Amino acid sequence: MSLEGVQLTLVESPGELADFLEWLGHDRRILGVDIETTGLNVAKDRIRMVQFGDAQRGFALSYRDWRGIIRDIFARYRRPMVGHHWKFDSGFLARDGITTPWERTHDTMPMCFLYDSLGPKSLKAASALHIDPAAREGEAQLKKAMAKNGWTWATVPEDFPTYWEYAALDTVLTAQLAEKLWPLIQPYREAYDLEMAVERILCDMELRGARIDVGYCQDMLQNLLWEHGALLDQLAPLNPHSAAEVIAEFAKQGVTLTKRTQSGQLAVDDAVLQHVGTPFAAQVVKARELKKLMSAYFENFLEQRDGDILHPHINQLQARTGRMSVTEPALQTVPKTSFVRDAFIPREGNKLVLCDYDNEEVRLMAHFSRDPGMIAAFLENPPRDVHLDVSIRCYGEQEGPAKRDRGKRALFSKAYGAGVAKFAHTIGVPESEAQRIYNALEATYPGLQTGMEKATRIVRERASYDHAETGYVVLSDKRHIRVKKEKAYVGWNALIQGNAAAVLKRAIVDLEAAGLGEFLILPVHDELMFDVPESDVAEVVPLIEQTMRRDDWRVPLTASAKVADRWGDPYRENHSE
DNA sequence: AGCGCGGGCGCG
DNA sequence: AAAGCGCGCCCGCGCT
């Protein structure tokens, strides 16, 4: 495939429209579709252009001029279509009341990911790799022209050739990419079908959005602003957010710092400041905390809302493991305090339902390690506390329960590759002590070590076999997650996180099939948030738990739901968790 | 003024 | 032989 001889057209006159419609009637394997918008925000931005194309030709249509025609095309076109990141385009069109035929639509983004989970996922980068290095030229040229003329995506003239050619070419790239990748991803059809089904549901979730309590956010932001301002006044002229100034202040006060950052500078992170323990160190910690709460959370909630609804971007294939991420705002990183989570409320007359998998990653480790003790623990009813068992083996029946968290930290540290030194440092104990906990872990669940070694070996062997820089692990839905050979030990993490991600995606599809899709609001790795009418809650909650439950692993993957009036309810101090 | 990076910190 | 993994967003800072 290449871009040579590709013909691009801006449809302006009725004659050009007739030519375009005649072309649209031709027989072709797949029709590429794309839209251009004034920006990325589905609540605030507009569609400017809609483009159609195949491997040879691309057409750009002004949305303002041809909206009715465009609507008809989506209603009538009966053959397969393909977009790149179709959730974006489909969401904008759906918002305008234009329904698109998901059941006949493909997406080259999941194709890219399934072909190579570490490869490029953007249309331009993937096209440059798979089709023609010239695929990037239009974008570069357009950016230059926009900068020169002070244009944005909202103001660049529709008839500016570089703009509409760039727009029309995207459909050609998408169509060519689809033709090239389609045969290559056939071994991963199960995963592809799953991703397409998930994408459609995520599209609806983004449009639905999550409701926030605007007044609460405004009040909390005011309080934070005041408190942070007062702290800055106290410290002035010193800026507690400048590491250099903080380091200089410690030097002046005679405090010696030793920990270094990755690049060799003196570290002044939370652990260091806690260790220093002076009032000034505490003030720096406090200032950072307040700033984070303001800037990353409450300010963003208020800035990014549409009325009282947040429409976050749910990035389906962002992580190399196939995990999803949520941005604008980053709702997967909301602090686990009622203070921040109280910002999230259900719609009028509704309840929030929060359902997460119980110890999902540990249960998957039990499955893949085949460790008899770990498997047995999860087969008991109720399940044994695997972390407590490690702690008791290390510290005894008396002291063990109080040190359960060390058992838990040991498992996750060890499982994801931390050495004894790193583990000792993160939990703040001498290395000898950390080694004792690791020994207890190994004695309790010896299968963990062998499982990790096996995953590492497999990644190395596959990389060698392919003469490649990367090997891979295979997930339950047959997809490959690539892992760099020089960090082959990451294979275990990829296996666990990747399968956890696939489990959640399958659950989302099953929930929709069970009629619960309309309540879905947000995924958080091993957890789903629902917004459910109060009158349906009693019926829906057990259905959610049953639908999410998985019994096709060596241990059951169970899910537990909580009902709340605010997201913060389960995190309140008097709550018994 | 805008960009990229490192440090730091929020989550699973 | 040894190696914590996966993200997003903020700030300060140095650069263009």
Side-chain angles (χ1 to χ4, degrees), chain A residues 492-512:
Chain A
W492 182 250
N493 176 273
L495 193 63
I496 303 302
Q497 282 195 359
N499 275 298
V503 164
L504 192 77
K505 286 177 174 177
R506 177 60 65 192
I508 288 172
V509 173
D510 291 350
L511 287 161
E512 213 247 359

Side-chain angles (χ1 to χ4, degrees), chain A residues 61-169:
Chain A
L61 281 76
S62 158
Y63 185 65
R64 190 191 54 232
D65 295 344
W66 304 114
R67 188 174 162 158
I69 299 284
I70 289 163
R71 175 196 301 271
D72 285 352
I73 291 171
F74 284 113
R76 289 194 194 151
Y77 193 79
R78 286 280 162 253
R79 295 178 54 76
M81 298 184 179
V82 61
H84 190 85
H85 191 206
W86 184 241
K87 170 162 70 66
F88 176 84
D89 309 67
S90 177
F92 265 82
L93 291 162
R95 182 207 61 184
D96 286 1
I98 297 178
T99 46
T100 64
W102 272 97
E103 66 283 0
R104 290 194 299 281
T105 307
H106 288 272
D107 194 323
T108 42
M109 202 163 79
M111 288 187 205
C112 287
F113 185 89
L114 293 171
Y115 172 75
D116 177 2
S117 60
L118 290 177
K121 285 174 286 188
S122 78
L123 178 62
K124 304 301 182 297
S127 302
L129 175 70
H130 293 295
I131 297 169
D132 191 332
R136 291 170 178 280
E137 285 170 11
E139 185 186 33
Q141 214 181 323
L142 178 59
K143 284 220 166 107
K144 237 167 90 180
M146 285 169 66
K148 186 179 157 209
N149 292 290
W151 290 329
T152 67
W153 290 107
T155 59
V156 52
E158 282 173 15
D159 59 0
F160 181 63
T162 310
Y163 176 60
W164 67 257
E165 284 170 5
Y166 160 95
L169 185 65

Side-chain angles (χ1 to χ4, degrees), chain A residues 481-528:
Chain A
I481 299 297
R482 302 212 71 95
V483 176
K484 288 178 185 162
K485 187 181 181 181
E486 75 265 22
K487 285 183 77 174
Y489 68 92
V490 171
W492 182 250
N493 176 273
L495 193 63
I496 303 302
Q497 282 195 359
N499 275 298
V503 164
L504 192 77
K505 286 177 174 177
R506 177 60 65 192
I508 288 172
V509 173
D510 291 350
L511 287 161
E512 213 247 359
L516 303 169
E518 61 182 299
F519 306 133
L520 278 165
I521 297 296
L522 194 71
V524 193
H525 302 309
D526 63 351
E527 173 182 358
L528 290 167

